[in-house]
Every structure is written in structure tokens, then in C-alpha cells.
Amino acid sequence: MNGSEIFGAWVAVFLTLGIFSYLYKDNPFYKIAEHVFVGVSAGYWMAMAFWTQVQPNLFGRLWPTPDGEISGFLMKSWYGIYNFFGFILPSVFPDGGIDKGHGHDPHFMYILPFALGIMMLLSVSSKLSWLARLGIAYTVGMAAGLRAYAFLNSNVLGQIKGSAVSFVDMPFFSLTGVSIFNNLIILVGTITGLLYFYFSKEHTGHFGKVTRVGIYFLMISFGASFGFAVMGRISLLIGRFTNLITYGGPTYHYASIWVLLIMIVLLAVWTFKGDKKVAS
Amino acid sequence: MEKFLDFIVRAGSLDRRYIFLVIALVVILPLFFPLGLPIRPTTSSQDVYNAVDKLEAGDKALISFEYGPSTKPEIHPMAVALLRHLFQKDVKVYITCLWPDGQFMAMEALEQVAVKQYKKTYGEDYVLLGYRPGAEAVIKGLVSNIRKVFTVDANGDFLDDIPMMVGVNQVADFDYLFSASAGYPGTVEWVQYAADPTGVTMSTGTTSIQVNEVMPYVQSGQIVGILGGMPGAAEYESLIGQAGIGTSGMDAQSVAHLVIVGFIIFGNISFFVERRRSKKY
Amino acid sequence: MFMKRQLPIAIAATIGFLTLFGWFVDEPVIKSFVDDDATQWFDILASFAMFLGALNLLKMQAIKIIKQQKGWQYAALAIVGFTFSFTAGFILLGSYNVEISQYDDPAKVATVLASEINLDEKSTENILIAMPEGDTYTIDTPYFTKKGADNVVEQINAAGGTANMRATEWGAHISTRGSLFNWMFRFIFTPLSATMFALLAFFVASASYRAFKIRNFEATLLLISGIIIMLGRVPIGGNISAWFILYIVVLALSAGVNTWFKNRTYTFAAVVGGLLAVTIAGFIMGWPVDQPAIFYLPVLQDWIYNNPNVAGARAIMIGIGLGIFATSIRYILGIEKSYIGE
């Protein structure tokens, strides 16, 4: 176990217990952990987005490694710009071009998303923030086109197909397999559940009775979702505690135990001082 | 009797920090003192097991890792158990990742199962294609032409130099698809853009919270079986006969659930007693 | 005005139509744009949105510090955190590998290498000896600093080996296990994000106790379904006898009889009769844990999970699917303009 791993374990334990300390009450340890999380996440996602998308897929297409000598005024000027960027940021723009499997010819079309991206960043300035709308419009249009078909096909048509259940060649009731009763439950539940969301007609009379049945099915589904949500959260908690138990071992110099004790003592002092201030 | 009812009403508005303490204890204690409760697989986990069991030696399985460290306790155990099952059957495993963190998870799982346990050969028995950004674009690219999305694998080796990539050009060339997913992009995108259009048999493992979102696909047959969260992982481990992290967490999970149900029941008893009293007065 | 209002709507409409019809059109140029380039542009713009988020965060925290608002010290901490992750991602490579290609005496090189790879000298020597001719051995964990890696290289060279330092490529450093960025990911980002999620477990438990009250029939259905799923899906549910559940059902039905008829005799009869019937049936059947199957929690949970639960979830899914389709069409047709602030 090297020093950086052990130090890392102590940092991880401090941050974990700092977040958990919120369960006692909002306190400086929690605030420290929370603000560190905010800052580190922003930097982390920025680095991930840049090195996995922008550098390989945008710059890698605008300035791919050329095949042999560059010729022509346009190409020489284009790679001249690249060399200038490379002088300022050699890590992002290595010598000769960026080789990420996008061929050897620049994809000039990618100047558009680059420009749209820069415009998006300008929304920091209140005067030029309207430029960001162009990039956002592209994103919105793209997402709308992709999702419209995909959701209609899989979530609507696929599900309607799945609701077209069979009532032949099966027992009337079965707890574990297919049966007429089970298929009837699914069919009735799906239709009445959908009807509940039809608000163009008032839910009264016979229609009201049908939608009542629908809400019962929806409540059963929400109850199941609640059960699964509890299950998921408890599983994550088990994961964190397992981690803390590992870091509480002798390999990591009992990090969890020491940090917990120190935090309890400091929180007790902080609470006591706070109570004294309130009392006076 | 009155004193007892008084106690119930007062306990109904207990400071929530006592509840937090109880939850912490019921989760930690079983980790130190396991109960060894037997695990009973559900039909959805059995369906996944059966789908994998139908595969034969030499068949090709595409596994996609889309989870990160925050959901690792729920999904990593099922990914490890699935890899164990696949390698047991000498199925060829191809791994892709739609989440950047997924690549770390895949490397860890392969190190544990493929390298240390089953001593499989990289490039012949398994290949880590790696992470590519793009979500649906990546899936659509894999469906039409794998080499459009991946020119090299995660180690930087060209796909054409990898023996097990010969003849594998698109998703339809695979015999089985599994998505170990914690959110977007994940199971839903694989169903919409890959499984539905190509008809390749697909199963999935998701976090418990996502299960209900994906269940309609399972019931309609678009997905064959689902492993739901840590219990799903534990069930799969019991089906393949190799206990892992999923199994070891189940005792804590069981006791915690029982305690929470107890809280719900007690909270409602207190509510009813209080309501009866306020009606009386 | 055109640039600020009509142009964004025109862009959204054009790209929306192109992407939607790309699903149905077989023309290679359009298909290639829609399948490959259009989604790449989307991801590139999403990345720039991420940069924008980070810049806004810095702006807000900086304003807090400059104006010395309440809690400005914590804002400074947020900026320190950002600076650290930015440095690990863009300024310090933090990933320098040491590769050994040759050795004169494996035992001598092993004395240096052993402490670097946390193994005993004999095992380290065996690793070196097993190294095929012409191959290189790379120390698993890279070094954060160039100096650190160079020190080890010097020591190995002095021990009669041939080692050199190879810096990880920029870009690959974020996914290299053991790099500075990876250290930050494993010991700062991961514990924080995982713990934030795990914290909710406590609040769910607290809510279960204090807030989930049975005020009407719908709430009763929700809670009963939740309880059955919670107990049925974990091993402990398999150890709860079906007869225990049957007794609870008898008591619940008796409570229903009491509410409906408000007659003590009927209620008493229902309780005693029900309990007696269950007890006799139990004795006859020998109290099997999993029979009658419909009251055995794992089986009951499975039935609820696969039937009424799917019905409800499907209704919601179809509703959401229709809603997304309708909203997408509204964006494509330019009816919905909320993204430009209208």
C-alpha cells in the first residue's frame, strides 16, 4: 500500500463522514465536504468533457494528422493556426496534428459546432448571452428529432404491442406464469391507468369509476417504486459502510475510527459552544 | 393502557436523529455478524440466467458497462457474476462502455474474473473496446458499423489486429446483449436503438430505482429478464453458485427493510391513536 | 431581432426535421449526417454546456468572496476544489510510467523494484525472470511527478537494469489507473458522490416513520404494495411464513368488518372464526412456510411485480412517451419557444 493510497483513504473517510455528519445537523464539516464536492465535480466534468469529446472529436476532426506534406495556401494557413495553438497549449495540440482515427483531411464542417460552442460560453456576459440561444437551439432540435421517433417506437408502439395480450391456450390463474387472469389485470390496468391521465373529460359517473380503478393500479406501481427506491438507497448505504469498514482496518492505519472520534469530539465542542452562545 | 397509548403518540414524533442511528446500526451490525439467510431467485433473475445459459461456447456476447462508483455497490456484483457465468461457458465477451466511469468498472471486473479467476486470453476470449462518448450515437454507430465507432480498443490496438473481432461488424453479429446500467445512457437507449431494431436477445441489470422504469420492456419481451439492484445481483450469484459482494450485503439489506417496514407500521399505529384521540375530544 | 429570435427557432426546426426524417430517409448523405455528425455536434455542444456550468459556478463563488457574503470561506473552498481538479485535468499530467526493458542481475534490480510494487524481493525477482525476451515490464502504478519517476529510473539503472520514463499521453491520463486525476476520482469525487446518494437512505427511513400515513385507500394500496415488495425481494421475506401473513389478513379483514358493520358481535365472530379457520388449516397442512403460495411474500411480490405493477408502469410509460413525442413535435414546429426565454 503506497503513501498516496493511505493518504487518499484518510481524505475519503473525512469527506464521507463529513457528508454523513449532516444527519446530526448542518455543521462546518458538512459544509466543507459539500463545497469541495461542488468545486471538484465542476472541474472533473469539465476535464472529462474536454478530453473525451472536445479534444478528440472536435479538434481531432478540425486538425487531424495529415498524410504526408501539407500543400496549398489554405491547408498551410489552417495548420498554421494549429501550430499557433500548439505553441500556447502543447498538451491539447501536439506536434503534427491530432490522430484520433478521423482520417487525414480536416472536416471543415466542424467549425460550426466549434463556433456554436464558443457562442454558448459567451452567455457568461449579459450583453452577449443571446448568442448562446443558437447552440441551445441546435441541441434542442437535435434532441427533439431523435427522441420523437425513439420514444414513439419503443415506449408507445412497443408497449401497446406488449399490451396486446393473449387469452387462449393458458390456465385461468397462475401465480408464477402467464394466465388469463394475469393478462386481464395487465390489460385492464394499462387502459384504466392511461384513462386516468385523460383530463379533457371530467372524472365523474362511469368514467370516474373507471379512472378510480386506474389510480389504484398506479398506486400499486408507485408503492413498488417506493419499495425499489428504499432498496436502492439501502444498497448504496451498505456500499459506503463497506468502504468505511475497509478503511478502518490496520492497512489504512484505522482511518475511519480516528476520523470518526475526532469529528465527534469537535462536533460536541462546536455544539456546546453554540448552545452557550444561544443561552447568553 | 392510557400511559401506553401516550407513549405511542409521543414516539410518533420522535426526533429523526434516533431513526438515523437505528438505521446506521441495522446496516452496520449484519456486516460484522452475518445471518446467512438463504437467497431465493426471482423469475426475472432466472430469466436472465436462462438466457445466458442457452449460449454455447464460441457465441458472442456484447456487455455494456454504464455505471460509476456511486452505483457500484448495486451493479458491480451483477456484472462480476455475469462475467463468471459467461467465462464458465466459454462465451466470447466483448465489452463497451457508454459512461467514462464504466471503463474503470469494466477493467476492475475483468481483472478479477477474466485474468485472475478464469485465466482468459485478451483478444481471443475477451476484448475491452472501451468508452466512447455519444450515448445514442454510439449505439446507432455500433448497430450500423462497429469500426465507425471503434478503430482501436481500450489499449490502443487496431480492431483488425484482434483475432476475435474477425467477422464481427455490427450489433446483429452478436448472440446476446447485456446492459449493466445506472441511468442515462443505458438500458432504455440500448432497447430503443439496438435490441428493438436488430432483434438481438437482450437482458439488463439496473439499479433498484430504475427497475420500474424498465419493467414494461421486460414484460413486453423487448428485454429478457432483469437483475434489479443488489438483491438481483445476489440472486444471480446464488444461481451460478458463486457468492460475491451481492450476497454479503443481503443480510444488512434484509434487516434494514424489516426495520423500515416496522417504522411504517409503528408510525401508522401512532397516527391512528392520535386521530382517535382528536376525534374523541 | 432576427438573429435573437427567428434564427434559433429556424435552427431548431431545421435540425429537428432533419434528425426526425433521418430515421426514414435512405439517402446516404443525409443518413451519414444524421447518424454520425449530427449526434457528434450534439455531444460537443453538451461539452461546451459543461464548461459554461463550471464558469458560472466560478463566477457565483467569486462574487460571494468579493462581496464577503455569509459563508464566503466555504466559497473559497469550492474554488480551491475546482482549482485542484482543473490542475489534475489540464495542468499537471500526474501520470509518469517507469518501464524496465533489461537487467543484468534480476536480484539487484528486484531490491529496488520490490518497494515500488509492494512485493517481497523474491516474488519481484521471479516477475523479472519470467519477462519474455524483448518485452518491457511497466510498473503498474504511474508516478504523479516526473521527478518521482526519474528517481526510480535512476535507481534501477544504478542497480544494473535499463529503465526509462514514459509520460502518459494527454487525454489518456484521465482514464489511467493510478494517475493524479484518477486519485482525485477515487478518493475525492467517488466518496462524495456515493455518500450524497447514500444519505438519502436515512431520509427515506425517517419519511417512512414520520410522513407515510394511511389517510385513504389509495395510500393504503401504495404502502401495502411497497411493504410487500420491500420484504418479498430480500432473503428475510422467504423466512416469513405464509401463515403469519394469513393471520394478518384475517385481522385486517376483521377491521374492515368492524368499519363496515360497526357491530361488536360480527367483529368478534370474524376475528375468532378467521383465526380458528387458519389455525385448523395450518395444522392439517403441517404449517409449510411457502403454502398457501399466494400468501408467501416472495411469490406474492413476484405476482405484484409482474402484473399490476407492470400495468401501472406501462400506463405511465405510454403517457410519458406520448408527452415526449408531442413536446418534441412542438419544438420542431417552433410552437414551443421556452429555450429562447419566451
Side-chain angles (χ1 to χ4, degrees):
Chain A
M1 198 61 53
N2 66 42
S4 66
E5 292 254 337
I6 296 173
F7 177 66
W10 280 74
V11 169
V13 167
F14 171 76
L15 294 171
T16 303
L17 292 175
I19 299 284
F20 278 140
S21 70
Y22 183 75
L23 296 167
Y24 172 59
K25 61 161 101 170
D26 196 6
N27 63 80
F29 289 123
Y30 173 74
K31 286 201 175 69
I32 291 170
E34 183 193 39
H35 282 78
V36 166
F37 184 35
V38 160
V40 166
S41 305
Y44 170 78
W45 287 114
M46 202 167 147
M48 288 302 275
F50 183 81
W51 291 110
T52 59
Q53 270 295 2
V54 176
Q55 201 257 4
N57 290 336
L58 176 62
F59 297 147
R61 281 192 168 93
L62 288 174
W63 291 286
T65 311
D67 192 12
E69 273 303 308
I70 307 166
S71 58
F73 175 73
L74 176 67
M75 292 299 279
K76 280 190 174 165
S77 313
W78 185 243
Y79 278 89
I81 298 170
Y82 177 80
N83 292 332
F84 173 70
F85 284 148
F87 178 72
I88 304 169
L89 296 164
S91 54
V92 178
F93 303 99
D95 273 340
I98 301 171
D99 183 11
K100 294 289 175 187
H102 298 303
H104 301 289
D105 300 317
H107 297 52
F108 289 109
M109 204 169 52
Y110 277 72
I111 292 174
L112 272 170
F114 190 22
L116 286 173
I118 300 290
M119 281 192 247
M120 222 184 219
L121 293 179
L122 291 172
S123 74
V124 191
S125 142
S126 44
K127 232 182 164 184
L128 297 168
S129 62
W130 65 270
L131 281 169
R133 291 180 187 185
L134 303 178
I136 293 168
Y138 176 88
T139 316
V140 163
M142 177 87 224
L146 270 181
R147 305 266 188 281
Y149 175 83
F151 274 82
L152 195 63
N153 186 43
S154 296
N155 281 35
V156 181
L157 297 176
Q159 293 306 310
I160 290 172
K161 231 166 59 174
S163 302
V165 290
S166 169
F167 291 120
V168 293
D169 291 331
M170 58 182 66
F172 179 74
F173 180 74
S174 163
L175 266 174
T176 48
V178 283
S179 72
I180 294 172
F181 182 77
N182 291 351
N183 283 348
L184 202 61
I185 288 281
I186 291 172
L187 185 67
V188 167
T190 307
I191 292 173
T192 54
L194 270 172
L195 281 173
Y196 176 77
F197 291 115
Y198 185 71
F199 296 117
S200 303
K201 182 174 162 50
E202 220 180 312
H203 291 188
T204 51
H206 292 301
F207 186 67
K209 290 198 178 89
V210 169
T211 55
R212 259 258 94 98
V213 173
I215 194 91
Y216 294 157
F217 277 99
L218 290 171
M219 285 298 133
I220 292 174
S221 189
F222 292 147
S225 295
F226 165 70
F228 283 118
V230 168
M231 199 185 299
R233 298 301 171 206
I234 296 290
S235 298
L236 295 179
L237 188 61
I238 290 170
R240 292 318 302 143
F241 281 157
T242 308
N243 230 230
L244 284 174
I245 290 169
T246 309
Y247 289 152
T251 330
Y252 296 97
H253 304 295
Y254 310 101
S256 306
I257 300 168
W258 279 113
V259 174
L260 181 65
L261 284 171
I262 293 168
M263 255 190 203
I264 288 173
V265 166
L266 290 174
L267 274 175
V269 167
W270 175 77
T271 309
F272 181 65
K273 271 193 171 160
D275 287 345
K276 255 175 115 178
K277 232 189 218 172
V278 166
S280 63
Chain B
M1 185 64 177
E2 271 308 306
K3 270 194 177 160
F4 178 64
L5 292 175
D6 275 341
F7 165 75
I8 289 179
V9 169
R10 265 205 324 274
S13 38
L14 193 65
D15 188 328
R16 63 183 192 170
R17 287 178 289 193
Y18 290 111
I19 300 169
F20 297 158
L21 188 62
V22 169
I23 292 295
L25 287 171
V26 299
V27 170
I28 286 181
L29 289 174
L31 293 175
F32 285 110
F33 309 107
L35 302 166
L37 294 166
I39 295 169
R40 183 188 163 279
T42 52
T43 44
S44 46
S45 305
Q46 187 72 54
D47 287 342
V48 178
Y49 178 85
N50 293 344
V52 176
D53 221 35
K54 275 200 191 113
L55 298 171
E56 284 161 9
D59 278 350
K60 302 179 203 71
L62 177 65
I63 317 297
S64 188
F65 280 64
E66 32 259 10
Y67 64 97
S70 49
T71 43
K72 191 178 168 189
E74 290 198 85
I75 305 194
H76 198 68
M78 63 175 79
V80 165
L82 177 77
L83 284 176
R84 284 183 168 142
H85 196 190
L86 288 168
F87 286 129
Q88 233 171 51
K89 297 186 68 69
D90 293 320
V91 171
K92 303 225 181 282
V93 175
Y94 300 73
I95 295 181
T96 179
C97 318
L98 295 182
W99 289 29
D101 307 345
Q103 189 166 314
F104 289 124
M105 302 296 122
M107 281 158 60
E108 237 183 84
L110 285 171
E111 175 75 23
Q112 181 187 345
V113 182
V115 175
K116 291 191 173 141
Q117 186 176 354
Y118 287 91
K119 317 262 190 276
K120 292 291 183 178
T121 312
Y122 187 88
E124 287 173 26
D125 301 310
Y126 69 99
V127 65
L128 176 59
L129 296 170
Y131 163 70
R132 284 294 179 277
E136 300 94 332
V138 172
I139 299 175
K140 283 176 78 179
L142 291 173
V143 166
S144 66
N145 183 356
I146 290 178
R147 283 157 184 77
K148 239 188 333 192
V149 181
F150 293 100
T151 37
V152 295
D153 69 355
N155 297 327
D157 301 322
F158 286 103
L159 251 52
D160 291 331
D161 296 338
I162 299 172
M164 63 192 283
M165 287 304 302
V166 173
V168 177
N169 301 308
Q170 50 197 1
V171 168
D173 295 332
F174 292 100
D175 301 292
Y176 182 71
L177 168 62
F178 186 91
S179 164
S181 153
Y184 171 85
T187 306
V188 174
E189 285 66 41
W190 279 106
V191 170
Q192 290 175 345
Y193 297 97
D196 267 357
T198 62
V200 172
T201 306
M202 174 177 167
S203 300
T204 187
T206 67
T207 57
S208 299
I209 287 173
Q210 254 197 304
V211 167
N212 246 11
E213 198 187 309
V214 168
M215 261 319 279
Y217 294 120
V218 178
Q219 200 280 332
S220 64
Q222 289 163 289
I223 298 177
V224 176
I226 176 172
L227 301 176
M230 198 189 263
E235 288 163 23
Y236 204 82
E237 284 170 4
S238 81
L239 283 167
I240 65 166
Q242 293 190 50
I245 311 165
T247 308
S248 59
M250 286 321 291
D251 289 339
Q253 187 99 44
S254 290
V255 177
H257 281 205
L258 198 60
V259 166
I260 290 177
V261 167
F263 280 156
I264 294 174
I265 293 169
F266 191 83
N268 277 287
I269 291 173
S270 166
F271 169 67
F272 280 124
V273 168
E274 208 177 327
R275 203 163 72 163
R276 251 182 73 185
R277 279 191 173 181
S278 60
K279 269 190 188 161
K280 224 196 224 176
Y281 300 117
Chain C
M1 202 53 198
F2 171 77
M3 290 284 285
K4 286 189 183 181
R5 203 168 167 275
Q6 277 81 2
L7 184 59
I9 296 171
I11 291 173
T14 311
I15 297 300
F17 270 117
L18 210 58
T19 323
L20 186 57
F21 290 126
W23 287 99
F24 306 103
V25 166
D26 243 342
E27 210 279 326
V29 172
I30 293 177
K31 239 188 151 48
S32 157
F33 174 76
V34 170
D35 285 348
D36 306 332
D37 297 311
T39 40
Q40 285 287 295
W41 291 20
F42 178 85
D43 291 315
I44 288 165
L45 285 170
S47 304
F48 275 98
M50 211 85 77
F51 302 154
L52 179 64
L55 285 174
N56 272 324
L57 171 83
L58 282 176
K59 186 174 149 190
M60 276 170 53
Q61 302 298 330
I63 289 170
K64 224 176 172 181
I65 296 171
I66 292 165
K67 290 189 176 170
Q68 299 263 297
Q69 289 171 355
K70 186 167 178 257
W72 67 267
Q73 299 91 335
Y74 297 114
L77 210 53
I79 292 186
V80 165
F82 175 79
T83 309
F84 176 67
S85 57
F86 185 86
T87 306
F90 295 98
I91 298 171
L92 288 179
L93 183 63
S95 181
Y96 299 90
N97 301 283
V98 170
E99 293 175 337
I100 303 169
S101 50
Q102 273 179 358
Y103 48 82
D104 297 331
D105 180 355
K108 274 177 101 177
V109 174
T111 52
V112 175
L113 191 57
S115 56
E116 299 301 321
I117 62 175
N118 290 308
L119 268 184
D120 59 282
E121 286 183 22
K122 193 68 200 159
S123 309
T124 311
E125 199 185 324
N126 290 337
I127 291 172
L128 287 170
I129 292 167
M131 204 170 83
E133 191 73 39
D135 248 16
T136 52
Y137 172 78
T138 310
I139 295 179
D140 272 341
T141 314
Y143 293 84
F144 288 168
T145 58
K146 190 165 174 291
K147 199 171 170 200
D150 282 339
N151 271 344
V152 176
V153 164
E154 253 178 61
Q155 287 175 41
I156 291 173
N157 288 340
T162 308
N164 64 284
M165 187 275 297
R166 179 181 54 82
T168 305
E169 208 185 290
W170 280 98
H173 73 295
I174 58 164
S175 52
T176 305
R177 194 165 177 82
S179 68
L180 180 62
F181 192 83
N182 186 244
W183 182 93
M184 180 202 72
F185 173 75
R186 283 173 65 203
F187 295 111
I188 299 181
F189 183 76
T190 299
L192 284 167
S193 67
T195 314
M196 281 293 188
F197 275 88
L199 203 59
L200 290 170
F202 295 99
F203 295 115
V204 153
S206 171
S208 305
Y209 185 72
R210 288 144 65 95
F212 290 159
K213 311 292 187 209
I214 298 175
R215 292 176 207 277
N216 51 39
F217 182 63
E218 286 86 351
T220 314
L221 269 181
L222 190 148
L223 279 178
I224 290 176
S225 156
I227 288 171
I228 293 171
I229 295 285
M230 269 197 283
L231 290 179
R233 281 215 88 98
V234 291
I236 212 161
N239 290 303
I240 298 174
S241 172
W243 299 98
F244 178 74
I245 304 298
L246 209 42
Y247 280 123
I248 292 176
V249 168
V250 161
L251 292 172
L253 287 172
S254 306
V257 162
N258 185 49
T259 315
W260 196 263
F261 295 104
K262 291 190 179 26
N263 185 317
R264 277 192 184 167
T265 315
Y266 288 176
T267 308
F268 182 73
V271 171
V272 171
L275 292 176
L276 214 56
V278 170
T279 311
I280 292 168
F283 271 115
I284 292 170
M285 290 177 74
W287 303 104
V289 165
D290 57 351
Q291 296 294 333
I294 198 162
F295 296 108
Y296 186 50
L297 280 176
V299 173
L300 180 59
Q301 168 281 131
D302 229 16
W303 185 85
I304 291 175
Y305 174 71
N306 285 312
N307 297 292
N309 168 53
V310 163
R314 178 167 283 156
I316 293 166
M317 188 183 261
I318 294 174
I320 291 172
L322 288 170
I324 287 179
F325 177 72
T327 311
S328 301
I329 297 297
R330 283 170 62 86
Y331 276 117
I332 293 171
L333 292 176
I335 302 168
E336 185 68 50
K337 294 183 273 254
S338 52
Y339 58 93
I340 55 169
E342 286 182 23

